[in-house]
Amino acid sequence: MAHALRGKIQVPGDKSISHRGIMLGAIAEGKTELYGFLDGADCRSSIACFRQMGIEILQERDHATICGRGLHGLSQPRETLDVGNSGTTARLISGILAGQRFFSSLTGDASIRRRPMDRIMNPLNTMGARIRSRNGNGCAPLDIAPAVLRGIDYLSPVASAQIKSSVLLAGLYAKGKTSLTEPAKSRDHSERMLRAFGADLTQDGLTVTISPDPTLVGQKIQVPGDISSAAYWIAAASISPGSEIIIENVNVNPTRDGILRVAKAMGADIERLNPRIVSREPVADLLVRSASLRGTRIDGSIIPTLIDEIPVIALMAACAEGETIIADARELRVKESDRIESIVTNLSAMGVSVTGTEDGMIIRGGPSLKGAEIATRHDHRIAMTFSIASLVADGPVLLDDPSCVRISYPDFYRSLRFLLS
Ligand code: S3P
């Protein structure tokens, strides 16, 4: 039984930009105001960590005020910092902690303690940092000893904004310039925001260079809606016949808009309305109508621009005619869950013909999805993807942990009910 979606909604603030606003606000001079802040569990973890380092942060719903204390204004946390489920908090904050004059430790939930941190420890320790994985397995808990950093030229093996941002943040505390070259362009919110706060940062193709010791000045930032949250409604409206929705105020930064390009290649009916620039980020309203989709191939340099949307793109592929091949997406293996495994297991449970590969999957679209029990692996993006799948399933879809949507989209089910009403 398909359900049409109708209406106009706003999605919560961008998660990546919200984290960065807290972090740069904390190490800037003076007050930073974030409007449209994402009040989700991950960004709350970032707030809690900086509060533990003496930064006053007032946050109510989607408004946060950070009373920055300058580049050297953090104080030693008394307890281990807890990043919860947030990889962005863990990796970016490590870049800041690497250059402090105090000792700190950091840990997180079971998922975080399985995710690779050597990818940031390697470049940071090359800069002179003294970060150690306590269990020697390249994962959190991390112990970070005081260190004097020097700038390096780092060739990152992975197109990861978290690695890039971690190294750039450490570069603020280093002697000499720090540059990083990535194999494909990952999201550039750190670069845009560092410049807005007053950092000296230059860009040359896939290389970013930052100068140390700037005076960062607190900013007023309007956080745009998160395209990764909008993705669920883009998919839902596309696959549910008779749908027509508008998603207002969505960040369409070209390093994030891969889902729009892929959806279009699949035959989706999406219009970008009212394009504008808000706090240095491109924003638009998205008009989405249902459409018949066809399979496509997704690989190469587009992958980093849609990495978090692959679960819901896989669902669109399951509802499309023909085959979809996703490759070069090995990074999915080290997200909140092994998302290749999570997607393949759950789509298979719904009767979809799907084969996992080392770095992606092959999905053969079919006429209908069966009801199934979904193993979310406590992964918010898997929970939201399969909640959307329930709209086109011919039986009940039961999630083992729907509450994990609180990580990035606490109002997800309320918005779903609204669009269906
Ligand atoms: C993020 C970068 C991406 C993304 C994550 C958020 C960020 O991770 O998957 O959800 O805010 O920098 P990688 O940089 O590891 O690809």
Side-chain angles (χ1 to χ4, degrees):
M1 242 298 276
H3 303 78
L5 283 80
R6 302 218 150 235
K8 197 182 267 190
I9 58 157
Q10 295 212 343
V11 287
D14 187 89
K15 181 153 76 70
S16 296
I17 297 175
S18 296
H19 279 299
R20 286 157 174 78
I22 297 293
M23 296 193 190
L24 292 190
I27 57 170
E29 313 269 350
K31 217 182 244 186
T32 289
E33 303 265 358
L34 304 176
Y35 304 94
F37 175 77
L38 168 59
D39 185 16
D42 265 13
C43 297
R44 286 185 174 203
S45 294
S46 282
I47 291 181
C49 289
F50 282 93
R51 282 186 178 148
Q52 274 185 264
M53 292 190 283
I55 302 298
E56 191 185 339
I57 302 173
L58 310 166
Q59 184 245 327
E60 210 174 325
R61 288 191 289 272
D62 69 347
H63 181 215
T65 305
I66 305 112
C67 303
R69 299 187 55 192
L71 218 45
H72 301 284
L74 301 177
S75 49
Q76 177 163 13
R78 281 201 207 113
E79 312 278 338
T80 298
L81 300 169
D82 182 1
V83 304
N85 189 243
S86 174
T88 307
T89 308
R91 298 204 177 98
L92 271 59
I93 214 172
S94 294
I96 295 176
L97 295 174
Q100 301 301 318
R101 294 164 193 147
F102 54 74
F103 187 93
S104 56
S105 298
L106 164 169
T107 193
D109 69 6
S111 152
I112 275 291
R113 284 183 271 114
R114 280 194 299 268
R115 297 180 66 186
M117 294 298 152
D118 43 0
R119 52 177 53 201
I120 51 131
M121 284 164 54
N122 292 338
L124 296 176
N125 287 343
T126 306
M127 293 174 79
R130 297 193 296 148
I131 309 180
R132 222 181 105 246
S133 157
R134 197 176 300 163
N135 300 327
N137 60 354
C139 301
L142 302 182
D143 292 318
I144 305 173
V148 177
L149 306 183
R150 56 186 174 274
I152 57 167
D153 294 328
Y154 186 62
L155 194 57
S156 177
V158 193
S160 157
Q162 294 183 353
I163 299 176
K164 175 171 62 177
S165 306
S166 185
V167 170
L168 291 176
L169 289 167
L172 296 172
Y173 294 92
K175 220 176 224 137
K177 293 191 178 195
T178 298
S179 72
L180 177 140
T181 304
E182 48 186 348
K185 183 126 166 126
S186 65
R187 65 191 67 190
D188 64 359
H189 307 300
S190 294
E191 293 93 305
R192 288 172 193 254
M193 201 185 279
L194 276 161
R195 278 212 188 94
F197 276 79
D200 174 18
L201 186 139
T202 57
Q203 201 129 15
D204 180 12
L206 295 172
T207 302
V208 197
T209 304
I210 194 160
S211 301
D213 221 19
T215 301
L216 302 178
V217 180
Q219 299 292 309
K220 281 191 180 3
I221 295 171
Q222 195 73 50
V223 181
D226 198 327
I227 193 165
S228 298
S229 298
Y232 302 102
W233 312 129
I234 293 170
S238 296
I239 63 178
S240 305
S243 297
E244 177 169 328
I245 63 170
I246 290 180
I247 317 167
E248 293 179 314
N249 188 36
V250 180
N251 181 220
V252 289
N253 179 319
T255 62
R256 295 287 300 281
D257 72 348
I259 182 169
L260 300 181
R261 288 180 274 149
V262 160
K264 202 159 189 192
M266 296 178 81
D269 181 354
I270 306 175
E271 280 178 56
R272 296 186 192 206
L273 309 176
N274 194 17
R276 55 212 186 259
I277 301 286
V278 177
S279 295
R280 298 190 182 218
E281 292 279 348
V283 170
D285 304 326
L286 302 176
L287 168 61
V288 189
R289 298 190 185 93
S290 46
S292 359
L293 303 179
R294 54 184 175 271
T296 188
R297 187 180 171 92
I298 310 168
D299 60 6
S301 61
I302 200 169
I303 293 290
T305 73
L306 48 67
I307 189 72
D308 292 342
E309 289 66 76
I310 290 179
V312 82
I313 290 172
L315 170 64
M316 291 169 77
C319 300
E321 204 179 299
E323 191 175 79
T324 293
I325 298 174
I326 302 174
D328 302 324
R330 196 181 309 267
E331 278 295 293
L332 292 174
R333 298 251 178 229
V334 290
K335 294 296 178 188
E336 286 84 329
S337 66
D338 173 344
R339 286 188 177 153
I340 294 179
E341 192 274 332
S342 309
I343 296 166
V344 169
T345 301
N346 289 310
L347 280 182
S348 301
M350 297 190 77
V352 177
S353 164
V354 51
T355 311
T357 62
E358 189 49 38
D359 66 350
M361 63 200 81
I362 302 162
I363 300 160
R364 287 156 290 271
S368 78
L369 304 182
K370 291 193 302 198
E373 290 188 12
I374 300 300
T376 61
R377 315 274 188 240
H378 310 292
D379 181 334
H380 55 131
R381 303 216 182 275
I382 298 300
M384 290 188 275
T385 294
F386 287 90
S387 298
I388 297 303
S390 73
L391 299 176
V392 290
D394 64 9
V397 173
L398 296 172
L399 275 65
D400 59 2
D401 180 19
S403 75
C404 63
V405 304
R406 73 184 180 283
I407 293 295
S408 63
Y409 201 159
D411 281 340
F412 175 79
Y413 291 107
R414 195 199 305 243
S415 294
L416 178 57
R417 279 195 300 274
F418 170 76
L419 288 170
L420 291 173
S421 64

